[in-house]
Amino acid sequence: MKEPEISIGIVSAQKIHFTLNAHFLAKGETVDGPQVVAFEDGGILWNGNVYRELTFTPLENEASFSLYDVTIGINFHWERQETQVFRGTLKLVVDEGKIVAINLLPAEDYLISVISSEMNSASSPEFLKAHAVISRSWLLAQIEKRKAMSQQPADFFSFIKTETEYIRWYDREDHSIFDVCADDHCQRYQGITKATSPAVEEAVKTTKGQVLMHKGSICDARFSKCCGGVSEEFNYCWEDKKHTYLSAVRDTGSNEPIPDLSDEQTIQQWIRTSPPSFCNTKDTHILSQILNNYDRETTDFYRWNVRYTQEELAELIRKNTKTDYGQILDLIPMERGKSGRISRLKIVGTNKTLIIGKELEIRRTLSESHLFSSAFVVDKGQEENGAPAWFELTGAGWGHGVGLCQIGAAVMGEQGYNYNEILLHYYRGAEIRKLY
């Protein structure tokens, strides 16, 4: 197998401003400098002509281009716009009434940027190597999945809707014109905007072509910031499919059993205490390796707490679901995964009662952006005018919790575990193989 070329969707807009920082070839012309394209008459208006698609191919080895107003952290608490710089080819296509900017470049170059974007490049070498392998595995698994889906009829639905339930999961099936997007929905990719370090390049080079495999297939190697002490299983967050290598793992170095966190009494004790785990750390040296400045705007994630007045919660749910539940009477977990993350939550209101899921739908419903995780327990205030005066959520972890726990893996790297040990701790039953 040869190293593949990857297509990454960067930005989608009616008008895109960018600068070619070197000489590029487009429509038979050599071009450089500031450029503007606009959506017009169903195509891309550039230099007075309308095209169906445009490709800017670099004519120099270190050529780069700058894209303006790229949104990062979409719908997350750190959402903002940046100017970003990329190497490789820039391709512009039309999709759903907008122009989409796509970056084409070799897989290993993409990985160097992703690892720099996902975390601080000063992380321990073994953690960086582990991340290189899972990022590569996830990427190649998504490309295989996209190819398979393109050959199948479009009958995929990522939601179940009845009178009593709305269960939805968010994966990357909506990316049909490129392999992956540049934001946290896939893997955070910022081109060469952030300087890449020799340590990151060495980690990618050392593990070149290495992926996690299970029964002859590339693993869909998911990861999140902090599992909260136990990692989650795939089927509680996405489609009802079991992946053996994405089973629940107690995030410690011993073989202690996983408590039954689907039991409400057990989860109450688990979340209201702070049991030892690799990811239970406040070590700023380790956290600064993983969390960029905008991630460190968050300080509590192993155990966290959020409180809403009745008015705040009712308005939040009304705004996020576009449904008026009236006053909120209760939030009742109907199903939890192995990590304690709620996959089905009943919202009881004076006007409406509905069970929602899965974990990301719950997190989006109960927060201005994203609740840290759906592993939480609920406390209610005294009743006023027939409804609780306030609701308090006490929770564990940050993210979906499936696969590798980044903070836990960073701690393992600091404690002397090598990248094979880190990977096989989180992906049980998988093996590491070199594909190219």
Side-chain angles (χ1 to χ4, degrees):
M1 177 182 178
K2 277 174 59 181
E3 178 185 350
E5 184 178 68
I6 309 300
S7 59
I8 309 112
I10 309 294
V11 68
S12 172
Q14 294 273 326
K15 183 180 278 191
I16 296 175
H17 295 258
F18 60 99
T19 296
L20 302 171
N21 302 318
H23 293 105
F24 282 70
L25 185 67
K27 297 297 177 187
E29 290 180 53
T30 300
V31 289
D32 63 2
Q35 311 289 329
V36 180
V37 291
F39 178 74
E40 191 165 300
D41 298 331
I44 301 166
L45 176 66
W46 178 62
N47 287 351
N49 295 310
V50 176
Y51 302 95
R52 200 167 65 180
E53 66 175 51
L54 269 172
T55 302
F56 295 84
T57 308
L59 295 174
E60 298 153 31
N61 283 339
E62 298 298 309
S64 69
F65 59 91
S66 302
L67 278 172
Y68 302 100
D69 301 322
V70 178
T71 305
I72 66 165
I74 295 170
N75 295 328
F76 284 87
H77 57 273
W78 61 82
E79 181 174 325
R80 67 201 64 193
Q81 289 193 321
E82 286 188 346
T83 297
Q84 297 194 339
V85 186
F86 303 89
R87 285 214 179 102
T89 299
L90 171 62
K91 185 177 181 182
L92 302 171
V93 300
V94 170
D95 185 55
E96 297 181 351
K98 290 183 178 180
I99 301 168
V100 182
I102 299 170
N103 186 198
L104 309 175
L105 80 169
E108 301 296 307
D109 290 350
Y110 165 80
L111 291 171
I112 289 169
S113 172
V114 160
I115 296 168
S116 299
S117 299
E118 279 283 347
M119 70 207 70
N120 192 307
S121 57
S123 305
S124 75
E126 295 306 307
F127 175 52
L128 290 175
K129 288 178 202 170
H131 224 293
V133 174
I134 61 169
S135 293
R136 188 182 294 110
S137 303
W138 180 86
L139 173 68
L140 299 184
Q142 298 314 307
I143 293 171
E144 283 192 350
K145 194 173 176 182
R146 183 182 163 210
K147 282 178 186 167
M149 290 185 70
S150 69
Q151 293 161 8
Q152 293 173 354
D155 58 357
F156 178 85
F157 291 98
S158 60
F159 64 90
I160 299 161
K161 190 173 185 179
T162 68
E163 284 187 11
T164 57
E165 283 193 317
Y166 179 67
I167 309 298
R168 181 176 181 183
W169 56 97
Y170 296 81
D171 216 340
R172 54 148 323 275
E173 277 76 14
D174 52 340
H175 297 333
S176 56
I177 59 170
F178 45 79
D179 295 321
V180 289
C181 70
D183 205 44
D184 294 71
H185 180 249
C186 288
Q187 294 188 117
R188 191 183 293 168
Y189 169 69
Q190 296 169 309
I192 57 169
T193 309
K194 279 176 59 105
T196 57
S197 77
V200 171
E201 292 186 30
E202 182 61 27
V204 173
K205 186 178 168 186
T206 304
T207 63
K208 183 175 180 178
Q210 290 183 24
V211 295
L212 286 161
M213 303 278 290
H214 183 261
K215 293 188 176 176
S217 297
I218 301 171
C219 293
D220 184 354
R222 305 288 169 124
F223 58 91
S224 67
K225 280 282 185 287
C226 176
C227 69
V230 175
S231 65
E232 191 49 88
E233 296 190 339
F234 181 91
N235 51 296
Y236 289 104
C237 299
W238 297 287
E239 60 193 299
D240 289 326
K241 188 188 279 187
K242 289 233 177 199
H243 293 295
T244 311
Y245 57 86
L246 293 176
S247 55
V249 172
R250 179 72 179 91
D251 197 26
T252 63
S254 61
N255 288 321
E256 60 187 279
I258 298 172
D260 180 7
L261 300 179
S262 64
D263 174 71
E264 285 305 311
Q265 201 171 348
T266 309
I267 191 70
Q268 289 278 345
Q269 184 183 1
W270 172 260
I271 285 184
R272 294 185 195 280
T273 56
S274 188
S277 302
F278 286 129
C279 59
N280 184 0
T281 181
K282 295 193 182 298
D283 186 324
T284 53
H285 166 66
I286 292 173
L287 296 178
S288 68
Q289 294 176 22
I290 307 145
L291 308 179
N292 285 307
N293 290 334
Y294 39 86
D295 287 336
R296 289 207 298 279
E297 291 164 12
T298 305
T299 53
D300 299 316
F301 39 80
Y302 187 72
R303 293 293 180 267
W304 49 265
N305 187 275
V306 63
R307 185 174 172 128
Y308 298 117
T309 64
Q310 171 65 234
E311 293 72 23
E312 287 170 339
L313 184 62
E315 173 58 19
L316 200 57
I317 293 173
R318 187 199 64 74
K319 187 173 72 174
N320 290 336
T321 63
K322 296 179 173 56
T323 303
D324 184 8
Y325 283 75
Q327 287 188 298
I328 305 303
L329 302 177
D330 213 345
L331 299 173
I332 306 169
M334 303 300 289
E335 180 185 56
R336 290 185 186 268
K338 297 288 176 26
S339 74
R341 282 167 171 79
I342 302 169
S343 53
R344 292 168 71 242
L345 177 75
K346 183 188 275 189
I347 301 175
V348 182
T350 52
N351 293 348
K352 183 181 177 69
T353 295
L354 189 71
I355 295 170
I356 65 165
K358 292 185 178 185
E359 65 90 30
L360 188 53
E361 184 70 15
I362 293 167
R363 290 165 62 199
R364 287 182 170 177
T365 300
L366 300 180
S367 172
E368 287 289 351
S369 56
H370 288 61
L371 205 62
F372 284 140
S373 86
S374 69
F376 59 82
V377 293
V378 181
D379 291 303
K380 296 178 289 183
Q382 286 188 322
E383 286 201 3
E384 291 178 8
N385 303 318
W390 50 261
F391 284 79
E392 187 165 280
L393 312 183
T394 304
W398 182 1
H400 52 68
V402 178
L404 180 133
C405 168
Q406 287 180 308
I407 291 170
V411 170
M412 290 182 75
E414 285 292 317
Q415 290 183 2
Y417 289 86
N418 66 39
Y419 79 99
N420 294 277
E421 292 170 322
I422 294 170
L423 291 169
L424 301 182
H425 167 66
Y426 290 107
Y427 304 98
R428 301 291 167 95
E431 58 179 338
I432 300 162
R433 273 201 215 152
K434 187 174 172 67
L435 289 188
Y436 55 84

